[in-house]
């Protein structure tokens, strides 16, 4: 696992901050946003690509690519696959599937500004460095991996789409190892302005750490975040042969579409429920075995409650079920959200602790707080975990993880 986030740039620091209920949301510092009605975000303040990205590229790359390359290389290092040849890999069966919802927005914006003067002022890399696929391509170039390589963009379901598709390449025997996840860096004027125009963002500027409020009646929109998350998925016998530390087992997942609205979730949560149900069917997991959900729960007016109802309809008969929201502390990382949420989910499996959901001070009347991990972390034995990500366009994604057992019971 590897990540770049406002709560830390390694999985343990990141999860320690989540367990403590620390918020990574603060006033935006990267540009002057005083004219915007929203002036807060889950902005990364201490990022450096030194040692991860060559300086000749880092000066010209969009942040989404810098985040992606850094998180991806950290994940590969964390997996014990060093670049020194100490681990023998068939690089034709090693691939990269890292996506982005927004792509290189700053690079594209800068190109437009340069074009106002002359095309001769444009960055010669503006086209490749603005596209969503180039992060995966550049990471593969650095690693020398020649297997499946592309990017999926399904708005805020991007990372889960990439993870599920990467797993399918392994299942079909097309790859032994896949780096998968997502990255976004939209905390720039055009990104902030665009989401303000959608009337999607919280305007709780006077109290940033309390702005992201999943399932709370007083929520007024989501908080924009940024960063990247990457997971190394590996075929089991391949991982065992090289003595890899296995953090969790990927069981399966599903992708569906609401087919309803550009930005709003279906009012009955129909597509969300279908996605959860199909994930269970596809993976062969019994619903009673799912006892933890890392919810999408982005602090939106409609989506939070629809997702909660879908979870309860599918899994609510299990009184042991616990649900939380990582976004309460770091905002919504758009295309990176699913991968970072997946890392939080796997850390829950590894540590035996569920992180709190902060800022639920006045719960929605339809939400039973007995199921929600509230303001304090909880010691918990995860059997099977579900991680949801949903995005504009009605894109729904659900993936399932479980503790790895060397001899998994047929039961």
């Amino acid at each position: 696992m590897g990540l770049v986030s406002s709560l830390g740039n390694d999985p343990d620091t990141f999860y320690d901050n989540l367990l403590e209920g620390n918020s990574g949301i603060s006033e935006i510092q990267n540009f002057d946003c005083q004219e915007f009605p929203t002036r807060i975000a889950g902005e990364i303040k201490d990022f450096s690509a030194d040692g991860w990205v060559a300086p000749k590229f880092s000066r010209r790359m969009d942040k989404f690519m810098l985040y992606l390359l850094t998180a991806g290389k950290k994940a590969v290092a964390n997996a014990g696959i060093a670049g020194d040849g100490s681990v023998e890999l068939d690089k034709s069966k090693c691939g990269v599937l890292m996506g982005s919802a927004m792509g290189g927005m700053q690079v594209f914006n800068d190109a437009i500004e340069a074009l106002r003067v002359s095309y001769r002022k444009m960055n010669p890399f503006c086209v490749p460095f603005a596209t969503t696929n180039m992060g995966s391509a550049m990471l593969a170039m650095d690693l020398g991996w020649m297997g499946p390589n592309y990017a999926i963009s399904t708005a805020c379901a991007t990372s889960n789409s990439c993870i599920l598709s990467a797993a399918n390449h392994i299942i079909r025997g097309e790859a032994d190892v896949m780096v998968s996840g997502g990255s976004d860096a939209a905390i720039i004027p055009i990104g902030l302005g665009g989401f303000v125009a959608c009337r999607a963002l919280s305007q709780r500027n006077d109290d940033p750490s309390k702005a992201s409020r999943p399932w709370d009646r007083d929520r007024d929109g989501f908080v924009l975040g940024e960063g990247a998350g990457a997971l190394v998925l590996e075929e089991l016998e391949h991982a065992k042969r090289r003595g890899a530390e296995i953090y969790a087992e990927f069981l399966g997942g599903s992708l569906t579409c609401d087919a309803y609205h550009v930005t709003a979730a279906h009012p009955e949560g129909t597509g969300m429920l279908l996605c959860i149900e199909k994930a269970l069917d596809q993976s062969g997991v019994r619903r009673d075995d799912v006892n933890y959900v890392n919810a999408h729960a982005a602090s939106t007016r409609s989506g939070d409650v629809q997702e909660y109802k879908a979870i309860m309809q599918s899994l609510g008969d299990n009184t042991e079920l616990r649900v939380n929201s990582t976004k309460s502390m770091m905002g919504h990382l758009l295309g990176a959200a699913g991968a970072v949420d997946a890392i939080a989910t796997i850390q829950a499996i590894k540590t035996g602790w569920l992180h709190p959901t902060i800022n639920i001070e006045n719960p929605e009347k339809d939400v039973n707080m007995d199921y929600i991990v509230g303001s304090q972390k909880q010691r918990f034995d995860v059997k099977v975990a579900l991680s949801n990500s949903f995005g504009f366009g009605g894109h729904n994604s659900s993936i399932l993880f479980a503790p790895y057992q060397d001899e998994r019971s047929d039961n």
Side-chain angles (χ1 to χ4, degrees):
M1 300 181 289
L3 82 163
V4 175
S5 82
S6 63
L7 287 176
N9 298 319
D10 68 85
D12 290 338
T13 301
F14 163 72
Y15 203 63
D16 286 345
N17 276 314
L18 288 177
L19 290 177
E20 293 301 314
N22 296 330
S23 176
I25 298 168
S26 60
E27 185 172 347
I28 294 170
Q29 296 180 2
N30 190 47
F31 62 95
D32 183 359
C33 57
Q34 291 307 304
E35 298 301 317
F36 289 85
T38 293
R39 299 183 292 277
I40 57 174
E43 186 180 49
I44 296 171
K45 303 291 200 291
D46 60 349
F47 172 74
S48 172
D50 292 349
W52 302 105
V53 182
K56 67 177 180 179
F57 288 125
S58 63
R59 290 190 295 269
R60 287 173 161 169
M61 280 182 176
D62 192 277
K63 275 188 178 179
F64 105 90
M65 285 185 64
L66 296 177
Y67 293 163
L68 186 154
L69 291 170
T70 302
K73 290 181 180 180
K74 285 183 175 183
V76 171
N78 183 253
I81 305 173
D84 57 8
S86 59
V87 176
E88 290 294 328
L89 295 174
D90 179 353
K91 293 188 176 182
S92 71
K93 297 190 72 175
C94 297
V96 182
L97 216 175
M98 295 279 287
S100 175
M102 310 300 288
M105 295 182 73
Q106 185 68 62
V107 165
F108 195 76
N109 183 79
D110 291 348
I112 292 172
E113 293 301 314
L115 186 58
R116 296 183 192 280
V117 179
S118 168
Y119 73 89
R120 293 183 178 88
K121 297 293 184 179
M122 294 174 69
N123 176 358
F125 291 95
C126 67
V127 170
F129 284 0
T131 57
T132 56
N133 71 293
M134 198 54 63
S136 276
M138 293 294 293
L139 181 55
M141 291 176 204
D142 283 355
L143 297 173
W145 288 9
M146 301 174 66
N149 185 285
Y150 55 102
I152 295 172
S153 185
T154 50
C156 304
T158 288
S159 283
N160 278 6
S161 299
C162 291
I163 292 167
L164 181 56
S165 296
N168 286 336
H169 283 295
I170 295 172
I171 291 166
R172 292 197 299 265
E174 298 164 356
D176 297 326
V177 180
M178 294 288 298
V179 179
S180 61
S183 177
D184 262 314
I187 306 175
I188 58 176
I190 192 172
L192 183 66
F195 282 107
V196 165
C198 288
R199 301 180 181 177
L201 298 182
S202 170
Q203 298 182 19
R204 196 183 289 261
N205 300 305
D206 57 341
D207 200 356
S209 65
K210 291 187 177 294
S212 186
R213 313 174 66 82
W215 303 300
D216 188 87
R217 291 186 198 180
D218 299 322
R219 65 194 183 282
D220 66 331
F222 76 84
V223 177
L224 193 60
E226 64 178 352
L231 306 178
V232 174
L233 302 182
E234 188 167 0
E235 193 276 326
L236 177 58
E237 295 306 318
H238 187 276
K240 291 167 70 173
R241 281 196 299 273
R242 70 176 184 86
E245 181 180 0
I246 300 172
Y247 297 136
E249 181 175 356
F250 177 80
L251 301 181
S254 176
L255 308 172
T256 66
C257 182
D258 281 357
Y260 171 72
H261 191 271
V262 174
T263 58
H266 191 284
E268 303 301 322
T270 306
M272 296 175 180
L273 176 61
L274 178 65
C275 194
I276 295 170
E277 292 289 321
K278 288 174 70 71
L280 296 173
D281 291 342
Q282 188 274 337
S283 59
V285 170
R286 298 182 304 189
R287 66 186 71 248
D288 290 346
D289 287 337
V290 180
N291 65 346
Y292 169 49
V293 178
N294 186 296
H296 178 74
S299 189
T300 59
R301 278 290 184 189
S302 58
D304 288 9
V305 176
Q306 276 87 328
E307 180 186 14
Y308 172 82
K309 289 179 177 178
I311 292 168
M312 289 298 106
Q313 187 170 341
S314 181
L315 306 172
D317 288 342
N318 183 356
T319 57
E320 294 182 358
L321 182 69
R322 295 295 177 268
V323 183
N324 64 6
S325 168
T326 303
K327 295 179 184 69
S328 67
M329 286 172 273
M330 60 191 311
H332 192 347
L333 277 61
L334 307 179
V340 174
D341 287 354
I343 290 171
T345 303
I346 293 164
Q347 288 290 74
I349 291 171
K350 282 183 60 187
T351 65
W353 285 98
L354 302 183
H355 70 68
T357 306
I358 65 172
N359 301 328
I360 310 179
E361 298 170 352
N362 187 17
E364 286 279 2
K365 60 181 177 59
D366 293 329
V367 173
N368 183 347
M369 289 299 294
D370 289 343
Y371 290 95
I372 306 296
V373 185
S375 60
Q376 299 296 319
K377 65 184 180 181
Q378 291 185 16
R379 172 68 76 177
F380 197 74
D381 181 17
V382 178
K383 295 177 182 176
V384 175
L386 173 74
S387 181
N388 287 332
S389 282
F390 310 123
F392 282 0
H395 297 290
N396 304 307
S397 63
S398 298
I399 55 178
L400 292 153
F401 297 97
Y404 170 65
Q405 299 173 15
D406 192 20
E407 297 296 333
R408 178 169 287 280
S409 168
D410 292 336
N411 296 323

